[in-house]
Amino acid sequence: MSGIPITPSHNGKYPSSDPTALQKHVGWWDQDNDGVIWPSDIYHGFRALGFGVTLSVMSAIVICISLSYVSGSTWYPDWAFRIYIAGIHKAKHGSDSDVYNRKGVFDGRAFEEIFTTYADPPNYDSLTSAQLFQLIKGNADPYDFFGWQANFLEWASFYVLLWPEDGRITKTDLKALYDGSLFPRIAKKVELRRAKMRELVNGVKDN
């Protein structure tokens, strides 16, 4: 993760030599590969993805408060609101697409069902923002208020992160989100853009 400080060792090891898709999805945020994600990791991750300071701070707070306790292995809360990758499957909420099963394993059939249900011809391999909203509504479980909000925020963040020029989320990009490979790709683009901006600023100063 270019440009993101590595947190100190936290006396833990990555949860598995064969991580699930959900563990891979969150693994990019764990830069020292010890199986623990600190609030500072979330903050620096959002900054590396191009988000501003305020949104990065708010995201770190909300995400860590939401996922820390349920991903842990003790009955008492973690003092630093850290997220534990080994237990991240326990943080799976309702009203989602079920592309991750209850163990965090990728379900290819559920993934394809997103497009067969909500995509329109001839663009069966992409979704518009309106179709994403229909997906969110279609997955909403009755009285699952937390799940509704979590699902909406996750999809909204994904759309803003990708911000496709043609307004369509492709199947390739969505698959990359689920397996975690989208984050380093976006971070690299952001770092290149920031490097060009620094060169431009330095060039103006030299003149």
Side-chain angles (χ1 to χ4, degrees), residues 48-178:
L49 293 173
F51 292 94
V53 172
T54 301
L55 185 57
S56 298
V57 170
M58 293 176 60
S59 299
I61 293 172
V62 171
I63 290 173
C64 288
I65 288 177
S66 301
L67 304 184
S68 176
Y69 182 73
V70 291
S71 67
S73 58
T74 62
W75 61 267
Y76 52 87
D78 183 81
W79 66 274
F81 292 99
R82 293 169 292 188
I83 299 169
Y84 293 85
I85 295 180
I88 194 63
H89 62 283
K90 294 184 292 183
K92 186 178 182 296
H93 57 76
S95 299
D96 68 352
S97 58
D98 286 327
V99 173
Y100 299 125
N101 67 18
R102 299 185 75 84
K103 294 183 179 180
V105 176
F106 181 82
D107 186 336
R109 187 182 57 137
F111 177 77
E112 292 295 333
E113 195 172 282
I114 291 175
F115 294 89
T116 57
T117 303
Y118 297 102
D120 292 327
N123 299 301
Y124 282 118
D125 60 348
S126 63
L127 296 170
T128 64
S129 57
Q131 290 167 340
L132 283 177
F133 187 70
Q134 291 301 315
L135 168 64
I136 295 169
K137 288 179 60 179
N139 289 333
D141 297 325
Y143 308 110
D144 180 23
F145 302 110
F146 176 81
W148 298 347
Q149 296 177 61
N151 200 31
F152 176 80
L153 289 174
E154 288 167 358
W155 283 110
S157 299
F158 171 50
Y159 194 88
V160 171
L161 172 65
L162 201 59
W163 204 256
E165 293 183 3
D166 61 355
R168 307 190 72 91
I169 300 294
T170 68
K171 182 183 290 189
T172 300
D173 286 332
L174 186 55
K175 181 70 178 295
L177 172 70
Y178 280 112

